[in-house]
């Protein structure tokens, strides 16, 4: 009960919607009230004019057009006026003098009065700013060729207008509350309840993203195209994809932990295998030497796989030790290492000597080595590395003449175990390279790829500040 009451008076969307509707409706009613006051004043005065003419007609039917004093006073009282005069053709045809001394301090001609003027005069009357007695002139609604002049007591009109305003205000408040409630019920069903489903789903998902069920899309929402239905569908899709990513990352983390635990023993096993392979490579038998060379390559690939897997499974970005580094020298060192592993690869560098960004030399060397080795292993025979500075960014372009990336590799670029361009690859090289570049505050992007080659670009801040 308290929760429901809190929604009505608190800061919830439901309460804000209800009170906003009430306030807007009241403002509209106030805007309508002012012209209504002017119209009510004009109607009240015209009623006094009509009743005054009727009273004057009563006098005209009396013998010799004269009535006694008590009858005159009663006619003035019933008509709600202090004095009455009928004018026809510019001359007075009938006069009912006032019951006492009456002095009209102002005059009004209803035939020439506008609605705006009537509103202003109604406010003056209500707040006591108008004269106490005023002479009102208007054509008679009973005889158009007759002008009726009456003296009206403004305090009586003020009481009438205040009563009308109180009645209208109470009615306006009731209409505002009823309208607010109806709008609230309608919009609560159309907007608030769907929004509440979204927020509750987000809250549950935040508390337990791995086990919370994604937002259930109701059949009625599947074919709607309004903003809330679209948001619900997108939220459900995002939650489903995020759960899958969390499960995948959890498996990768478990894999990294498992590999970390067995890496020492695995390295010992690989070291022993490499030692045996080296001894076999010294055999006099050519077949054995050939097999030993193949074995050495296989062991080295297995060692690289373990190293790359451990590097990728490490939590958080790699720690950086930044220093000003001659980029030309760094690229030359990486090119030399790559040539040792791939003798048939031609590497050309075009790095200005003055480019010296602040970076971790070891980590950037690993990133560049991964990119160059990927190009060589993909079948490239020529590799061109160039660099320049653009808008405070150091741009490094790595362009090869290989066969290009297949569609599957492009669709899963930078994703481990799915983004490899060659059979049996892991895709860890590109994923690790991008992580290392991003740790420097930069980005690794694929610029272009086709049957004529592939173009990767590294952009890092010249000075990280």
């Amino acid at each position: 009960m308290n929760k429901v009451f809190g929604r009505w008076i608190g800061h919830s969307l439901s309460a804000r919607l209800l009170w906003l509707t009430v306030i807007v409706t009241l403002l509209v009613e106030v805007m309508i009230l002012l012209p209504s006051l002017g119209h009510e004043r004009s109607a009240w005065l015209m009623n006094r004019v009509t009743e005054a003419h009727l009273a004057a007609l009563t006098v005209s039917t009396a013998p010799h057009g004269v009535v006694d004093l008590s009858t005159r006073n009663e006619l003035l009282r019933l008509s709600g006026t202090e004095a009455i005069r009928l004018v026809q053709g510019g001359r007075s045809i009938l006069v009912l003098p006032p019951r006492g001394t009456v002095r009209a301090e102002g005059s009004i001609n209803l035939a020439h009065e506008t609605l705006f003027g009537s509103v202003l005069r109604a406010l003056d009357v209500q707040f006591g700013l108008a004269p106490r007695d005023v002479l009102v002139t208007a054509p008679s609604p009973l005889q158009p060729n007759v002008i009726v002049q009456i003296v009206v007591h403004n305090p009586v009109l003020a009481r009438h207008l205040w009563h009308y305003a109180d009645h209208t205000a109470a009615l306006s408040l009731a209409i505002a509350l009823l309208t607010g409630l109806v709008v609230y019920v309608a919009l609560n069903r159309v907007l608030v309840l769907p929004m509440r489903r979204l927020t509750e789903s987000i809250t549950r998902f935040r508390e337990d993203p791995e086990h919370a069920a994604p937002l259930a899309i109701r059949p009625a929402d599947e074919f709607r195209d309004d903003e809330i239905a679209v948001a619900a569908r997108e939220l459900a899709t995002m939650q489903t994809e995020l759960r899958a990513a969390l499960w995948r990352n959890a498996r990768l983390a478990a894999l990294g932990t498992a590999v970390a635990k067995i890496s020492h023993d695995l390295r010992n096993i690989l070291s022993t295998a490499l030692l045996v392979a080296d001894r076999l490579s010294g055999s006099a038998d050519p077949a054995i030497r050939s097999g030993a060379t193949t074995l050495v390559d296989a062991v080295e690939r297995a060692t690289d796989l373990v190293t790359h897997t451990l590097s990728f499974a490490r939590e958080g970005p790699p720690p950086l030790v930044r220093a000003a580094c001659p980029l030309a020298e760094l690229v030359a060192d990486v090119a030399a290492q790559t040539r040792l592993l791939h003798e048939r690869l031609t590497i050309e560098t075009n790095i200005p000597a003055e480019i010296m960004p602040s970076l971790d030399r070891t980590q950037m060397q690993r990133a560049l080595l991964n990119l160059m080795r990927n190009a060589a292993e993909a079948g490239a025979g020529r590799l061109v590395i160039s660099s320049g500075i653009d808008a405070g960014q150091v741009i490094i372009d790595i362009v090869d003449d290989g066969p290009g990336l297949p569609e599957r590799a492009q669709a899963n670029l930078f994703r481990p175990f799915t983004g490899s361009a060659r059979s049996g690859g892991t895709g860890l090289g590109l994923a690790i390279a991008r992580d290392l570049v991003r740790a420097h505050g930069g980005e690794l992007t694929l610029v272009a790829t086709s049957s004529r080659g592939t173009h990767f670009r590294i952009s890092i801040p010249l000075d990280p500040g």
Side-chain angles (χ1 to χ4, degrees), residues 325-394:
C325 176
L327 186 60
E329 179 184 324
L330 171 62
V331 172
D333 290 345
V334 177
Q337 295 179 43
T338 306
R339 289 191 190 98
L340 292 176
L341 298 173
H342 304 277
E343 297 177 355
R344 297 180 180 180
L345 180 65
T346 301
I347 303 178
E348 299 178 11
T349 61
N350 182 20
I351 311 293
E354 65 272 11
I355 298 180
M356 298 183 63
S358 177
L359 49 79
D360 187 312
R361 182 186 179 96
T362 301
Q363 303 292 10
M364 189 56 64
Q365 187 176 21
R366 288 180 57 202
L368 291 170
L369 183 60
N370 283 345
L371 291 172
M372 294 185 191
R373 290 181 61 181
N374 278 357
E377 292 173 356
R382 182 171 176 268
L383 193 61
V384 179
I385 300 142
S386 58
S387 181
I389 298 177
D390 182 20
Q393 297 277 323
V394 177

Side-chain angles (χ1 to χ4, degrees), residues 51-52 55-56 58-59 66-84 95-102:
E51 292 171 359
T58 302
V59 174
V66 178
V67 294
D68 57 57
L69 184 61
S70 62
T71 302
R72 182 202 65 182
N73 292 340
E74 184 65 14
L75 289 174
L76 290 175
R77 187 187 68 80
L78 292 175
S79 64
T81 61
E82 300 298 319
I84 301 172
V95 175
L96 266 73
R99 288 168 286 182
T101 303
V102 175

Side-chain angles (χ1 to χ4, degrees), residues 345 375-376 378-383 399-405 449-454:
L345 180 65
R382 182 171 176 268
L383 193 61
V399 183
D400 65 56
D401 62 351
L405 298 176
T449 184
S450 66
S451 59
R452 293 177 294 180
T454 300

Side-chain angles (χ1 to χ4, degrees), residues 263-282:
S263 61
H264 183 268
D265 294 337
L266 184 58
R267 286 179 182 274
N268 289 338
I269 295 172
L270 294 175
S271 298
T272 303
L274 187 59
L275 179 61
V276 172
D278 285 337
R279 291 179 179 177
L280 291 177
S281 63

Side-chain angles (χ1 to χ4, degrees), residues 285-323:
D285 189 341
I288 294 178
R289 287 200 304 272
S290 176
T293 301
T294 303
L295 181 59
V296 169
D297 292 339
V299 172
E300 288 179 346
R301 287 197 301 271
T303 303
D304 289 342
L305 175 60
V306 173
T307 302
H308 288 169
T309 304
L310 285 173
S311 298
F312 185 79
R314 180 185 57 243
E315 294 184 0
L320 301 181
V321 181
R322 291 180 180 269

Side-chain angles (χ1 to χ4, degrees), residues 386-443:
S386 58
S387 181
I389 298 177
D390 182 20
Q393 297 277 323
V394 177
I395 308 299
I396 306 173
D397 291 310
I398 302 98
V399 183
D400 65 56
D401 62 351
L405 298 176
E407 292 184 1
R408 178 177 178 276
Q410 295 180 47
N412 299 282
L413 202 62
F414 305 120
R415 296 178 64 182
F417 306 111
T418 58
S420 177
R422 58 189 175 86
S423 177
T426 62
L428 287 171
L430 278 178
I432 293 173
R434 186 179 67 167
D435 286 348
L436 294 174
V437 172
R438 285 183 169 180
H440 284 81
E443 188 59 76

Side-chain angles (χ1 to χ4, degrees), residues 108-136:
I108 300 170
N109 191 334
L110 294 182
H112 302 149
E113 194 173 59
T114 63
L115 178 61
F116 181 73
S118 182
V119 170
L120 293 180
R121 289 190 177 93
L123 295 176
D124 288 342
V125 170
Q126 280 191 279
F127 293 100
L129 302 178
R132 179 179 178 84
D133 295 307
V134 63
L135 175 64
V136 179

